């Protein structure tokens, strides 16, 4: 395909891509569709057939009209967003006008620049990871267009030079042959593609390095004007039963949480789901769970005086922009330092972020000791006694006769004494969850609107979601004298193995129950295992979850594949959001500068540590030990790896050797050249000698050596009267020449002076004798 | 002639005009990105800066491992077509794109020509050849080269240039004209007197130089029966008549200190006429040729007419420069002394020459032998109308 056609298609694709990128950030636009139609039409009508080509005047008029109709009305608008959108529209229209012009270098450049400007506008509006992927596609297209445009221009340039050098009879001229053609072989096409891919990848690498290393000024990263904080639909500060109809599971992201071991730096493996604490609700009345007497008691979160014992894990949380300040985290938690901007509400037992940060993605790190052997503990120490203990026993018995009766019946069935509240509570929870009488459902629950929804749930429609199960359990426990409260938060089991984090979505919103245990009710073995019995002085909270699991089908192979793909996309989005979109000064320091500095420091320490070298050497030797090679098997991974390593090392050694030999050869050649040049410089005097005699008609013949020539010249000089002193001079010069040229001895100062004097004398004498030349010739002739 | 050189180490990278525009766009976008902390714009700025960095790498890599060689004639006549072949060899494992090869063609005191060729692609290990052609309308010694390789690949933002090898010289011989019939007749007449006394001996005179098919009028004695039998057609032998056509040219290139256009034209005409006569004599052969010019009085050329001596003469005439010194008497004296009686001595001068001028040539007339030889000297001046009778410039 001709290079020009490729260029036309390339610029058209570039225009479409930029329009598509712009569309991605707009709520409802279709500029990419319009541009696609225009680009396709222009390629056919303008570039291929040439049926429609706007001349420059028509194009200028169209461009002016675009400016007046699209941009001008918005120029005086106070709304910056509208103004930027108008600019984008204008850029789209201008590109369309240009697409229908006859393509010249100017038009191509304008199209590339306009598409770039549209991309600049698009970056203001867009945030998604897909935008990043499409930017990569734009990059490759733009690189291709630029290279093609360059080649097209170079060919034109040389063709123009050729036509400028018109043959003329008067003046000299030169014309190059076949300069107006491009070698469009298969080989060049393949290499062009390879080179393009390499350049694209190199540009991406360069971009990544520049992006992460370039220091930020310190203000928060830009957010799209269209991006608002999302509303938490699954989570609320209060729970009203039956208010929701059919619950729709919203997959919108709420947060990501990553658990790492602060010492080893590795991920902390977690079995089962994570319970992320949101807020506490203690009062149930009129089918509503609330927190009475709630007031703003939040205070700055402070580090504990002494770090709790046990397995400490770091929980790194990235919260999406939300309309609520709660930070959902694993409890118990604590901060390492007092400089945190987080607050803690002891009544709600909620961690709160600054309200001004609600509109942006927020990252924080907390510590926790809630995990033991990969399990989130169900029993955790209460940091303080319940704020309103009487409330934990509150139950509207008159409105819930069925519930109370059922609880009593189940307790009677269990036969557990009141002194064992933990067992009694667990029995009720298990019974509710596993008896099979009650079913988990997101569908409409209420059938009888005259009674409490829980009564309705227990009597008429034993189907419900977590709120029903948690409420039932909490009220049953209270009816049996066990203090209980409702916890609202998230339960997440969606682990992303690529990023080693839990992805929490709106659909993971959950409620569960916690019962309060006085210190004397806490099991002794639990206290002993914790290693700090004092921590239980204020009692403990036991988590109970009565919600049965959903009956979702097992995923098939295709489903697994889709799930993996979904996780990959999710991970990419996570990386994009965390390391691109939210890369501000703080994040840069945290994610780039500090790890780099740590790495450099650790590397330095390792490299300067003898122990490390010894250990590394020992590991290598152990790895190389053939006893571990599994020689009995037909293939040994270790052997294969070592073989490959040896091959690589050999190739490297060969390459280095070849490079060294080349360098050595170059060095030798350069030295020879220098020596030859020096020799030439030194024999310069002989050249002058020959020139001097040549002007007098005496030339050395091809078969004559320098010495023979000097003797013959001496003979001619001797024929002249009064020239005895000159006879020996040519031979002296010849001797000096031999010494320099073949003896490799440059003239010293005395030698140079002698030769210079001889040459001057010869020049003086031969120059003064006008007839010398003629006589010399006569001598030669005779 | 060929010149093979690897790329020299002296590279030079310059920023093209397009790169300044590019940098301006980059500065605006990077500034906006930094100022407003728009991370996507910063990514875009990186993507724009990347090609600039790539350009710097690619232009350097694109010229690495290239060898260039040139083929061209050592000499041509002025106005003749000069074709120069340039071969670019890529010794690397990567192809080279968009390499422009230029080489200056210089002559002292004249504007430099800058012909060049463009190699759009030279594959790895491949050799591509391009050529340029043209005409050099003035005689002289021209320096061609050194070759300058340049590339702006891949984006045209940066330009990498390097100079390769050494320059070569090409000698542009004087433009050849056409000798008229009058010249040939006079030239023939001039020799007739000398040759008239020569006796013809043998049935066929001269040296054998070839055969041709028999034509009506050919003597039967000239038929080569053996060749005729072989070719089944009558073939006759041809013999060259051994005439003595020795010619000595003495060219006086004189012009005033501040020459006018006419003066320069006269010099050019004299050189061109002398060259044409030399070419004619050498083409015919069987003669001795001598050339002495006032431009190089100490370097007379003499020898049997042949291609080699023609080239020597042409080379001398090509670089012969006119001046205001009057060297003709001395040159003529030397020529008369060296030339035998069989030589026709032709003085070609850019001004009128009066051999009877005692002031200029009095010394020549003092000796009887020289005075006699002087009578055989024919003077042709390019300032007068005589030349037009003998010579036409094509």
């Amino acid at each position: 395909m001709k290079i020009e056609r490729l260029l036309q298609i390339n610029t058209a694709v570039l225009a479409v891509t930029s329009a598509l990128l712009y569309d991605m950030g707009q709520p409802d636009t279709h500029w990419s569709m319009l541009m696609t139609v225009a680009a396709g039409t222009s390629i056919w009508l303008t570039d291929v057939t040439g049926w429609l080509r706007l001349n420059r005047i028509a194009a200028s008029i169209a461009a002016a009209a675009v400016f007046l109709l699209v941009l001008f009305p918005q120029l005086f608008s106070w709304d910056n967003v509208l103004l930027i959108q108008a600019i984008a529209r204008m850029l789209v229209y201008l590109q369309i006008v240009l697409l229908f012009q006859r393509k010249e270098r100017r038009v191509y450049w304008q199209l590339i620049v306009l598409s770039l400007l549209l991309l600049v506008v698009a970056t203001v509006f867009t945030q998604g990871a897909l935008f990043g992927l499409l930017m990569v596609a734009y990059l490759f297209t733009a690189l291709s267009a630029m290279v093609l445009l360059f080649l097209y221009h170079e060919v034109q340039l040389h063709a123009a030079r050729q036509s400028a050098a018109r043959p003329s009879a008067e003046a000299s001229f030169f014309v190059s042959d076949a300069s107006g053609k491009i070698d469009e072989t298969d080989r060049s096409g393949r290499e062009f593609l390879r080179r393009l891919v390499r350049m694209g990848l190199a540009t991406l690498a360069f971009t990544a390095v520049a992006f992460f290393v370039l220091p930020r000024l310190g203000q928060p990263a830009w957010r799209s004007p269209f991006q608002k904080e999302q509303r938490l639909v699954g989570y609320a500060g209060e729970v009203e039963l039956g208010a929701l109809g059919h619950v729709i599971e919203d997959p919108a992201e709420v947060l990501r949480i990553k658990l790492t071991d602060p010492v080893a730096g590795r991920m902390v493996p977690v079995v089962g789901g994570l319970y992320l604490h949101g807020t506490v609700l203690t009062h149930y009345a009129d089918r509503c769970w609330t927190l009475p007497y709630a007031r703003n008691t939040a205070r700055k979160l402070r580090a504990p005086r002494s770090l709790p014992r046990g397995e400490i894990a770091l929980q790194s949380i990235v919260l999406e922009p939300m309309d609520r300040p709660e930070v959902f985290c694993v409890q118990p938690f604590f901060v390492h330092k007092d400089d945190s901007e987080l607050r803690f509400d002891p009544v709600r037992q909620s961690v709160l972020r600054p309200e001004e940060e609600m509109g942006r993605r927020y990252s924080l790190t907390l510590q926790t000791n809630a995990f033991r052997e990969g399990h989130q503990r169900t029993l955790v120490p209460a940091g303080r006694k319940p704020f309103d203990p009487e409330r934990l026993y509150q139950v509207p018995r008159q409105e819930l006769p069925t519930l109370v009766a059922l609880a009593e019946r189940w307790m009677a069935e269990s036969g557990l004494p009141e002194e064992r509240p933990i067992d009694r509570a667990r029995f009720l929870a298990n019974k509710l969850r596993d008896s099979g009488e009650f079913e988990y459902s997101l569908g409409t629950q209420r059938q009888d609107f005259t009674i409490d929804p829980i009564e309705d749930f227990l009597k008429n429609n034993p189907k419900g979601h977590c709120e029903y199960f948690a409420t039932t359990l909490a009220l049953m426990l209270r009816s049996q004298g066990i203090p209980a409260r409702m916890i609202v938060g998230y339960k997440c089991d969606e682990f992303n193995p690529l990023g080693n984090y839990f992805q929490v979505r709106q659909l993971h919103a959950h409620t569960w129950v916690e019962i309060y245990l006085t210190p004397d009710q806490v099991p002794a073995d639990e206290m002993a295992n914790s290693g700090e019995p004092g921590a239980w002085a204020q009692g403990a909270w036991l988590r109970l979850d009565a919600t049965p699991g959903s009956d979702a089908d097992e995923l098939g192979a295709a489903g697994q594949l889709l799930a993996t793909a979904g996780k990959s996309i999710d991970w990419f989005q996570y990386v994009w959001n965390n390391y691109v979109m939210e890369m501000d000064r703080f994040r840069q320091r945290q994610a780039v500068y500090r790890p780099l500095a740590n790495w450099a420091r650790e590397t330095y320490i390792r490299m300067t540590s003898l122990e490390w070298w010894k250990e590394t050497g020992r590991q290598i030797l152990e790895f190389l030990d053939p006893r571990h090679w599994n020689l009995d098997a037909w293939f040994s991974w270790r052997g294969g790896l070592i073989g490959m390593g040896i091959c690589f090392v050999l190739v490297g050694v060969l390459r280095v050797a070849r490079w060294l030999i080349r360098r050595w050869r170059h060095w030798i050649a350069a030295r020879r050249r220098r020596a030859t040049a020096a020799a030439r410089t030194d024999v310069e005097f002989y050249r002058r000698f020959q020139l001097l005699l040549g002007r007098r008609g005496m030339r050395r013949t091809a078969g004559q050596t320098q010495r023979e020539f000097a003797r013959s010249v001496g003979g001619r000089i001797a024929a002249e009267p009064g020239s005895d002193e000159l006879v020996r001079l040519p031979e002296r010069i010849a001797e000096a020449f031999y010494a320099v040229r073949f003896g490799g001895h440059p003239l010293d100062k005395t030698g140079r002076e002698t030769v210079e004097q001889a040459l001057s004398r010869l020049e003086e004498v031969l120059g003064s004798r006008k007839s010398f030349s003629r006589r010399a010739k006569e001598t030669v002739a005779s | 002639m060929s010149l093979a050189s690897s790329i020299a180490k002296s590279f030079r990278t310059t920023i093209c005009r397009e790169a300044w525009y590019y940098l301006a766009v980059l500065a605006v976008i990077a500034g906006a990105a930094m100022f407003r902390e728009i991370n996507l714009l910063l990514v875009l700025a990186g993507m724009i800066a990347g090609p600039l960095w790539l350009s710097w790498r690619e232009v350097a890599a694109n010229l690495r491992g290239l060898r260039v060689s040139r083929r061209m004639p050592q000499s041509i006549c002025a106005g003749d077509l000069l074709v120069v072949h340039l071969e670019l060899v890529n010794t690397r494992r990567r192809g080279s794109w968009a390499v422009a090869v230029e080489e200056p063609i210089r002559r002292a005191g004249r504007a430099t020509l800058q012909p060049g060729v463009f190699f759009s692609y030279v594959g790895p290990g491949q050799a591509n050849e391009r050529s340029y052609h043209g005409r050099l309308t003035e005689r002289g010694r021209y320096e061609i080269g050194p070759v300058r390789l340049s590339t702006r690949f891949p984006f045209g933002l940066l330009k990498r240039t390097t100079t390769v090898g050494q320059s070569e010289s090409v000698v542009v011989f004087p433009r050849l004209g056409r000798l008229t019939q009058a010249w040939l007749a006079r030239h023939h007449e001039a020799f007739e007197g000398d040759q008239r006394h020569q006796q013809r001996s043998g049935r066929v005179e001269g040296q054998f130089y070839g055969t041709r098919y028999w034509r009506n009028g050919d003597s039967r004695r000239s038929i080569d029966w053996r060749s005729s039998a072989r070719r089944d057609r009558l073939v006759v032998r041809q013999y060259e008549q051994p005439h003595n056509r020795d010619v000595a040219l003495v060219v006086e290139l004189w012009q005033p200190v501040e020459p006018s256009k006419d003066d320069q034209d006269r010099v050019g005409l004299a050189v061109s006429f002398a060259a044409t006569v030399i070419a004619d004599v050498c083409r015919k052969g069987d003669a001795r040729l001598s050339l002495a010019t006032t431009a190089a009085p100490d370097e007379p050329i003499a020898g049997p007419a042949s291609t080699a001596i023609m080239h020597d003469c042409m080379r001398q005439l090509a670089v012969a420069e006119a001046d205001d010194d009057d060297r003709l008497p001395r040159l003529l004296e030397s020529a008369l002394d060296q030339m035998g009686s069989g030589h026709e001595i032709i003085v070609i001068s850019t001004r009128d020459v009066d051999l009877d001028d005692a002031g200029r040539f009095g010394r020549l007339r003092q000796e009887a032998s020289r005075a006699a030889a002087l009578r055989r000297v024919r003077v042709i001046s390019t300032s007068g109308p005589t030349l037009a009778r003998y010579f036409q410039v094509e």
Side-chain angles (χ1 to χ4, degrees), chain A residues 510-586:
Chain A
H510 193 54
T511 49
W512 63 93
V513 175
E514 284 182 353
I515 62 167
Y516 178 70
L517 301 174
T518 54
D520 56 309
Q521 291 173 332
V522 177
D525 58 338
E526 189 70 35
M527 292 171 77
N529 288 339
S530 70
E532 44 179 356
W536 308 90
Q538 302 297 327
W541 290 101
L542 176 71
R543 187 180 69 242
L544 296 167
D545 190 353
T547 308
S550 66
D551 51 357
D553 295 334
E554 285 289 318
L555 290 173
Q560 291 282 2
L561 199 65
L562 281 175
T564 309
K567 282 180 180 174
S568 303
I569 294 169
D570 184 71
W571 175 78
F572 181 66
Q573 182 70 46
Y574 165 73
V575 171
W576 177 261
N577 286 338
N578 275 278
Y579 294 101
V580 179
M581 298 314 301
E582 300 296 331
M583 183 60 74
D584 54 13
R585 192 177 182 179
F586 170 73

Side-chain angles (χ1 to χ4, degrees), chain A residues 105 119 123 126 154 161 170 172-173 175-177 183 187 191 195 203 207 217 219 222 580-581 583, chain B residues 18 34-35 37 39-41 44 54 58 95 102 114 116 120-121 126 131-135 137 152:
Chain A
R105 183 169 176 252
L119 181 56
T123 58
T126 317
E154 286 287 289
R161 280 186 59 174
E170 300 297 325
S172 301
F173 70 93
V175 177
S176 62
D177 302 330
D183 294 320
R187 195 172 183 179
E191 181 160 348
R195 190 75 72 92
T203 305
T207 304
L217 296 177
Q219 54 192 349
W222 173 270
V580 179
M581 298 314 301
M583 183 60 74
Chain B
E18 289 86 346
M34 297 283 284
F35 182 68
E37 206 133 313
N39 281 332
L40 278 180
L41 213 50
L44 187 62
L54 270 179
E58 288 289 323
E102 290 180 325
Q114 197 79 276
S120 59
Y121 174 71
Q126 280 187 342
S131 61
Y132 63 86
H133 64 267
R135 296 178 198 279
T137 54
R152 300 195 304 155

Side-chain angles (χ1 to χ4, degrees), chain A residues 75-91:
Chain A
L75 270 183
F76 307 103
S77 164
W78 291 103
D79 191 338
N80 285 338
V81 174
L82 288 179
L83 181 62
I84 295 173
Q85 284 176 324
I87 291 172
R89 282 200 301 277
M90 186 186 71
L91 291 171

